[in-house]
Amino acid sequence: MNINGQTKILGVLGYPIAHSLSPHIHQYLIEKFKLNLFYLPFKVHPDHFNLFIQGITHLNNFLGCNITVPFKRTIMKYTKVLSEEAKIIGAVNTLTIHNNNSYGYNTDVYGFQQSLKINFPSLKLKDKVVLMLGAGGASRAILYVLLKEKIKKIVILNRTESHGQALKKHFLRYVKQSEIIAMPHDFYYLSKSGLQPDLIINTTSVGLKKSDNLLLDLKTLKNKKIIVYDLIYNPPLTPLLHAAKKNHLTVMNGLDMLILQALNSFNLWTGINVEGDLLRHLNILRRICMKRYGRGNS
Ligand code: ATR
């Protein structure tokens, strides 16, 4: 690491931010490609968010930043140009700054898409039935990808029914082939409805704590090919994934998505595309992130 007068700044903006793994991921990439960049965590109180964005937009050696909880939606109104995807999703997780203008992207789309492609190369989402838990910020990019891939049907279960309904309403205008259903969260939903989904995705924050409830009764699932995907990556095995494993279902946590969205953000800032050597970088970054578990996360 060699900071000098030409060093450009990258970072991640959130509140809180101490748990973020993004600095570890990007610092590895910066060093790997010998770039004169530095990636920092920025802890900004929501009351000062506006000032911070104004500041970085006018900082001529600021290249861009990741945006995380709770700012992924708020940032949109401060962003000069939004990508088509960010507009539809209604969330930005990556900002680039050029000539005092800000550009907003959502690289969770790439992260989610690629994580499925890499881990389940033969999976075709078209015509699949999906059960999604949660209707918060993290669910939006997921829903966007699923609908773009023309799944047959998605059932959204959410604690606050109105949030699920609002999400459904927002995306209905973009949907042609897929059926969207929004229901209040119910632990016994699968046995009551008889639904046999191909994919179950948890986008809620339930599972972050060891003491968290199991979200869903999986006992009625018959098809052992079902994939249970939890966007949480720390702990690596949430109560939901643990139960899924016990039921011999296929499980996946959110670590690959975290790393892959970071690689896409890095590409937007630097133009460097690691696609040709993706699996090697992914493996190294998995190890770097896993080493950090216990010391912090995200
Ligand atoms: P993120 O941006 O990480 O998605 P969020 O926008 O706060 O975070 O959304 C969190 C999601 O987890 C929401 O769907 C939330 O449900 P509500 O819409 O009812 O708030 C869900 N969630 C959080 N705590 C929960 C709990 N204890 N049980 C069930 N769902 C919960």
Side-chain angles (χ1 to χ4, degrees), residues 172-235:
L172 264 182
R173 75 190 89 156
Y174 304 109
V175 173
K176 290 187 188 70
Q177 270 108 335
S178 316
E179 181 187 1
I180 309 178
I181 297 169
M183 308 272 292
H185 183 85
D186 179 350
F187 178 75
Y188 294 106
Y189 176 78
L190 287 168
S191 55
K192 285 183 187 166
S193 67
L195 188 83
Q196 291 288 327
D198 301 287
L199 180 61
I200 298 174
I201 307 177
N202 176 35
T203 72
T204 77
S205 45
V206 181
L208 280 170
K209 287 184 252 128
K210 276 207 178 108
S211 55
D212 275 345
N213 295 334
L214 173 63
L215 282 156
L216 204 58
D217 181 17
L218 301 171
K219 288 203 189 84
T220 53
L221 293 177
K222 295 193 180 65
N223 178 1
K224 299 303 174 202
K225 281 194 196 142
I226 293 167
I227 299 167
V228 183
Y229 190 155
D230 200 322
L231 297 196
I232 294 170
Y233 52 84
N234 187 14

Side-chain angles (χ1 to χ4, degrees), residues 69 133-139 158-160 163 185 203-206 215:
V69 180
L133 307 172
S139 68
N158 197 51
R159 179 179 60 180
T160 310
H163 294 167
H185 183 85
T203 72
T204 77
S205 45
V206 181
L215 282 156

Side-chain angles (χ1 to χ4, degrees), residues 70-276:
F71 302 122
K72 284 187 184 185
R73 280 176 72 68
T74 326
I75 185 67
M76 294 183 66
K77 61 174 183 282
Y78 299 100
T79 308
K80 173 111 186 196
V81 184
L82 291 169
S83 73
E84 272 315 300
E85 286 180 343
K87 259 189 240 168
I88 296 172
I89 291 165
V92 162
N93 77 335
T94 305
L95 210 60
T96 64
I97 311 279
H98 294 292
N99 300 329
N100 302 342
N101 286 321
S102 54
Y103 301 81
Y105 303 88
N106 193 308
T107 69
D108 285 333
V109 169
Y110 174 86
F112 180 59
Q113 253 168 350
Q114 280 296 118
S115 69
L116 286 177
K117 210 168 145 190
I118 289 170
N119 289 280
F120 310 107
S122 58
L123 175 71
K124 300 271 173 285
L125 285 171
K126 192 170 187 296
D127 296 329
K128 292 286 188 288
V129 175
V130 180
L131 177 63
M132 182 169 81
L133 307 172
S139 68
R140 303 178 80 96
I142 307 301
L143 191 51
Y144 172 80
V145 171
L146 296 173
L147 297 175
K148 209 172 126 207
E149 296 288 337
K150 302 186 173 72
I151 53 163
K152 182 175 168 195
K153 172 174 170 174
I154 180 156
V155 178
I156 303 165
L157 296 187
N158 197 51
R159 179 179 60 180
T160 310
E161 191 183 2
S162 60
H163 294 167
Q165 292 295 351
L167 190 67
K168 170 180 166 173
K169 194 168 164 222
H170 173 83
F171 278 94
L172 264 182
R173 75 190 89 156
Y174 304 109
V175 173
K176 290 187 188 70
Q177 270 108 335
S178 316
E179 181 187 1
I180 309 178
I181 297 169
M183 308 272 292
H185 183 85
D186 179 350
F187 178 75
Y188 294 106
Y189 176 78
L190 287 168
S191 55
K192 285 183 187 166
S193 67
L195 188 83
Q196 291 288 327
D198 301 287
L199 180 61
I200 298 174
I201 307 177
N202 176 35
T203 72
T204 77
S205 45
V206 181
L208 280 170
K209 287 184 252 128
K210 276 207 178 108
S211 55
D212 275 345
N213 295 334
L214 173 63
L215 282 156
L216 204 58
D217 181 17
L218 301 171
K219 288 203 189 84
T220 53
L221 293 177
K222 295 193 180 65
N223 178 1
K224 299 303 174 202
K225 281 194 196 142
I226 293 167
I227 299 167
V228 183
Y229 190 155
D230 200 322
L231 297 196
I232 294 170
Y233 52 84
N234 187 14
L237 215 55
T238 58
L240 182 70
L241 293 188
H242 188 76
K245 244 186 141 173
K246 259 178 80 178
N247 277 275
H248 310 286
L249 306 176
T250 305
V251 302
M252 159 132 183
N253 71 27
L255 183 59
D256 282 6
M257 179 171 160
L258 173 83
I259 296 169
L260 291 159
Q261 63 77 30
L263 289 171
N264 192 193
S265 299
F266 187 74
N267 176 240
L268 288 168
W269 297 320
T270 65
I272 293 174
N273 190 335
V274 302
E275 207 80 19

